[in-house]
Amino acid sequence: MRELTFLEAIREAQEQEMARDPRVFILGEDVSFNVYGSTGGLADRFGLERVRDTPISESGFTGVAIGAALVGMRPIVDFTIASFMYLAMDQLVSMAAKTAYMYGGQAHVPAVFRAALFYNGGLAAQHSDRNYAMFMQVPGLKIAVPSCPYDAKGLLKTAVRDDDPVLMFEDGALWGSRGEVPQDDYLIPFGQAAVRREGSDVTVVAIGSRVREALTAADTLAREGISLEVIDPRTLVPLDRPTILESVAKTGRALVVDVGHKSCGVAGEILATIAEDGFWSLRAPLRRLTAPDMQIPFSPALEKGFYPDAAQIVDAARRLLRE
Amino acid sequence: MPTPDPATQLEMYRRMLRIRRFDETVKTLFDRGRIPGSVHLSIGQEAEVVGACMALRRDDTMVGNHRSHGHPIGKGAALGPLLAEILGKATGVNGGKGGSMHLADFSVGSLGESSIVGSGLPVAVGAALGAKMQGSDRVCLCFFGDGASNEGYFHEALNMASAWQVPVVFLCENNGYGVTTAFGRISRVPDVAARAAAYGIPGQIVDGQDALAVHAAVGQAVQRARDGAGPSLIEAKTYRYPHHSEGPLYDAIAYRDASELAAWQARDPLPLFARHLEDTGIADAATLTGIEQAIAAEVAAALEFAQQSPWPDPAEAHRGLYRTPIAGFDHA
């Protein structure tokens, strides 16, 4: 089967959805010139009305997307960098997330908000956020974090067709990665985790690019006779709790790996689920590997080691088996 | 804009009176502890609300703010479900999920009311942009206060609307105060309308106590938007008789003079308009009395409906978060 990069998969999903549904349009900074590579050729094919360059007005264009969605359009907002979502925080939290509920079902907001995570690249504190956990605190949003090109296309298509606001976080570490992506139309349902590798000793729940690290760790440990089960939630809201709990019931050990911060993070949420509903199958303490609760420094020498990698997963899994 | 025909003018009067009596009823209910939360009344501002709303077609849209009971009424919404919503009843327009600050009646094009100051401005631009992209000539009217004109939203929304020639009309209801802070204390430029120049769009000041003046100005801006000529900014100078919100909080604060209130009340939009209707022979005293009685009956019926309506089922609190349901949430 043909391979695409993660970014090409995103581009293809957008192109197909725009061709399928005239209500779909793209809104964001510098989208027509394809500066970041996810909109190549779309302006030529669909015109500048539907591939709409915005001023640098994040809260403004987020509100525009919400207003357009209220009258029946299906916008895709490109935030370019997830750190910029803070400028649009009020619209995302006060409007996008609350509209359907607050207006008693008279309206809904079928908009997609794409946000790229560019950590580990020397972009320093204000451009390196991995902030999906913040939005998990906001009822009414759905959150997808794909880990491979195939999922990027399938989840984005589902997001466009979903009637609720969806935040899609694209891990910059994956943008250039290649994988099999069918040309045809396919959807990946929200709330269905993928078991990326079956195993019997430790359940590793990995988010976004950490799936790759977990699979590398699993290869390493397999040579020692240690068997990791690697689970990729794919969407954090909805979170596929049953698949995670089923896995922990089998392995008795759980480790969550995330490039986000530790406190009140995705890992903590997943571990809490296991502690609440899977406690009696546990044979070892619950563990998480995350970025530290620090701001992201600029120098590569300082940022090095901030994000859990395969080696750390290997160590953690070994420790869990001894505990 | 031609002067509206007599029937339309009578309807304008009815709607102004409807808003006045509605908000007076809301105040009474609030004072008796029957309404949770807070309410923000637009008593005194009826002329600009109705003048603007009646310059729209029924299928045009509008976006309100926290002081917005009047906006859907001005657009022709039924009173019962609005009042029921303010009381938190199941029959409310939002099923009791929104309340006073979030009244939405999509059946008359009211796309909702946001109580985060200024946040409706870009949403209105989006609604107008959506209409334009759909090939329709629908226009969106955006109500906002003088306070919102100092939010960053104002700049972003007007800039985008202008850059893209979006069919939106920005109507600033300048009632002089952001809560207790007089506009002149926080803006060196006395008029919001002057800011239109920065966006290359028409800006106009209009007497907010004169429903016909507002109607003419907004009507012209709506026509301009419908014709594809883009957005306009209209500033209606008006005044709210009540404080920012109801309750004793502001009574003890001397943030405005009694004489100022009295001066505005001397130009109360309702008697002004009634006198105009009589002077032009559109209505005689008996007709006006008839309208008074009819509106009083209408509001009484709405109150009866709202009071008799059931409370929402508590389980309803857990429904309606998502339109496309997901596991773990209950949905209607």
Side-chain angles (χ1 to χ4, degrees):
Chain A
M1 194 192 287
R2 90 197 163 124
E3 290 199 338
L4 292 183
T5 65
F6 190 96
L7 207 50
E8 286 164 349
I10 296 279
R11 198 205 71 84
E12 185 166 279
Q14 293 183 128
E15 179 167 33
Q16 289 180 356
E17 289 305 295
M18 290 179 80
R20 184 187 61 80
D21 185 345
R23 299 173 300 173
V24 178
F25 70 106
I26 295 175
L27 198 65
E29 291 158 13
D30 315 300
V31 287
S32 78
F33 290 106
N34 188 36
V35 171
Y36 292 90
S38 67
T39 49
L42 298 186
D44 290 337
R45 176 163 178 194
F46 299 108
L48 293 174
E49 284 278 300
R50 289 180 70 196
V51 183
R52 184 175 291 267
D53 293 317
T54 64
I56 299 176
S57 302
E58 286 81 4
S59 61
F61 66 67
T62 300
V64 166
I66 292 166
L70 284 181
V71 299
M73 301 298 285
R74 303 188 85 92
I76 301 172
V77 172
D78 186 345
F79 275 116
T80 308
I81 293 178
S83 304
F84 301 165
M85 297 171 89
Y86 305 140
L87 289 149
M89 208 66 175
D90 173 49
Q91 286 292 331
L92 290 169
V93 176
S94 301
M95 306 298 268
K98 295 179 182 174
T99 285
Y101 187 85
M102 183 167 81
Y103 297 157
Q106 292 182 79
H108 58 108
V109 180
V112 180
F113 301 93
R114 293 181 43 226
L117 311 170
F118 289 135
Y119 62 96
N120 213 16
L123 287 173
Q126 293 182 340
H127 278 57
S128 304
D129 295 87
R130 299 119 1 261
N131 46 6
Y132 30 74
M134 276 188 190
F135 295 96
M136 289 177 76
Q137 269 277 318
V138 183
L141 302 174
K142 292 174 180 174
I143 300 174
V145 189
S147 69
C148 60
Y150 180 91
D151 281 14
K153 179 174 172 182
L155 288 171
L156 182 49
K157 280 172 158 281
T158 303
V160 170
R161 298 184 203 184
D162 196 283
D163 278 340
D164 298 305
V166 178
L167 311 185
M168 176 141 145
F169 290 89
E170 298 160 18
D171 196 316
L174 296 171
W175 265 13
S177 68
R178 301 183 73 79
E180 288 186 354
V181 178
Q183 184 135 33
D184 48 287
D185 184 38
Y186 63 93
L187 302 173
I188 295 177
F190 285 179
Q192 283 188 16
V195 180
R196 296 295 180 195
R197 180 184 175 118
E198 294 199 18
S200 53
D201 293 327
V202 179
T203 296
V204 179
V205 182
I207 315 302
S209 67
R210 297 307 96 174
V211 171
R212 207 170 54 180
E213 301 295 322
L215 291 171
T216 305
D219 285 340
T220 304
L221 288 167
R223 293 193 282 276
E224 301 171 18
I226 297 171
S227 164
L228 297 190
E229 176 142 301
V230 178
I231 297 187
D232 172 3
R234 304 204 280 202
T235 57
L236 301 178
V237 182
L239 181 64
D240 183 357
R241 290 183 162 92
T243 296
I244 294 167
L245 289 167
E246 217 172 283
S247 175
V248 176
K250 181 170 67 173
T251 63
R253 298 177 185 87
L255 169 69
V256 185
V257 191
D258 178 27
V259 293
H261 294 295
K262 185 170 188 174
S263 297
C264 298
V266 175
E269 176 59 27
I270 291 172
L271 293 183
T273 293
I274 298 169
E276 281 183 330
D277 297 326
F279 182 78
W280 300 109
S281 53
L282 290 176
R283 298 157 67 182
L286 297 164
R287 297 290 177 207
R288 54 186 154 171
L289 291 172
T290 66
D293 287 335
M294 293 298 295
Q295 295 303 343
I296 304 305
F298 162 69
S299 168
L302 296 173
E303 192 176 8
K304 193 166 183 271
F306 258 50
Y307 315 104
D309 60 10
Q312 290 180 43
I313 297 169
V314 165
D315 285 349
R318 282 189 191 130
R319 278 202 306 276
L320 271 177
L321 280 161
R322 286 197 300 268
E323 282 177 321
Chain B
M1 286 298 288
T3 308
D5 61 33
T8 304
Q9 293 197 39
L10 284 174
E11 181 60 17
M12 289 174 79
Y13 185 63
R14 271 188 216 102
R15 291 188 190 188
M16 285 164 59
L17 205 52
R18 214 172 263 147
I19 294 170
R20 175 70 56 96
R21 299 289 173 258
F22 184 90
D23 261 359
E24 286 168 351
T25 304
V26 168
K27 177 166 170 48
T28 305
L29 291 167
F30 186 84
D31 289 346
R32 289 183 191 156
R34 304 289 296 278
I35 297 174
S38 64
V39 292
H40 307 74
L41 306 174
S42 51
I43 294 172
Q45 297 186 204
E46 297 87 349
E48 50 90 3
V49 174
V50 170
C53 284
M54 287 198 64
L56 297 174
R57 279 196 325 234
R58 189 174 175 91
D59 66 337
D60 287 327
T61 56
M62 64 179 210
V63 168
N65 55 16
H66 60 285
R67 191 178 307 287
S68 260
H69 300 165
H71 297 146
I73 299 174
K75 193 74 164 35
L79 301 185
L82 293 177
L83 196 51
E85 182 61 31
I86 292 170
L87 288 174
K89 297 299 187 76
T91 54
V93 274
N94 308 20
K97 298 244 181 74
S100 164
M101 290 192 284
H102 305 301
L103 297 179
D105 188 343
F106 277 65
S107 70
V108 296
S110 147
L111 303 183
E113 302 170 351
S114 167
S115 58
I116 303 292
V117 171
S119 61
L121 285 151
V123 173
V125 175
L129 175 67
K132 183 182 175 188
M133 291 180 76
Q134 289 159 355
S136 115
D137 67 348
R138 283 181 290 132
V139 168
C140 186
L141 173 65
C142 179
F143 286 103
F144 63 101
D146 47 289
S149 72
N150 292 320
E151 288 279 3
Y153 278 129
F154 175 85
H155 164 65
E156 295 192 11
L158 268 71
N159 182 54
M160 279 186 292
S162 169
W164 296 335
Q165 293 289 282
V166 169
V168 59
V169 177
F170 299 104
L171 182 70
C172 179
E173 306 174 289
N174 188 344
N175 61 21
Y177 293 89
V179 190
T180 63
T181 304
F183 186 72
R185 288 176 57 209
I186 39 81
S187 172
R188 183 68 64 182
V189 180
D191 303 312
V192 174
R195 301 185 190 182
Y199 305 101
I201 66 174
Q204 186 184 348
I205 296 170
V206 65
D207 176 4
Q209 307 310 93
D210 181 345
L212 289 175
V214 177
H215 186 267
V218 173
Q220 203 165 29
V222 165
Q223 195 54 53
R224 179 186 143 82
R226 229 188 274 298
D227 293 342
S232 310
L233 171 62
I234 294 166
E235 177 183 12
K237 302 279 195 190
T238 186
Y239 202 77
R240 55 166 156 83
Y241 304 158
H243 293 300
H244 167 69
S245 62
E246 292 310 291
L249 199 58
Y250 304 105
D251 285 338
I253 306 167
Y255 69 97
R256 55 184 194 183
D257 289 341
S259 63
E260 182 183 278
L261 175 61
W264 280 93
Q265 282 176 322
R267 291 195 68 245
D268 187 299
L270 286 164
L272 267 186
F273 203 76
R275 205 154 51 236
H276 155 79
L277 292 175
E278 285 188 295
D279 289 350
T280 50
I282 292 173
D284 56 19
T287 308
L288 294 177
T289 306
I291 290 175
E292 277 276 359
Q293 288 165 346
I295 299 298
E298 221 182 286
V299 174
L303 180 59
E304 178 72 8
F305 169 81
Q307 285 180 323
Q308 296 305 316
S309 290
W311 292 105
D313 176 354
E316 187 55 35
H318 299 274
R319 297 193 189 111
L321 183 62
Y322 295 106
R323 176 64 67 100
T324 306
I326 63 178
F329 293 89
D330 192 6
H331 295 279

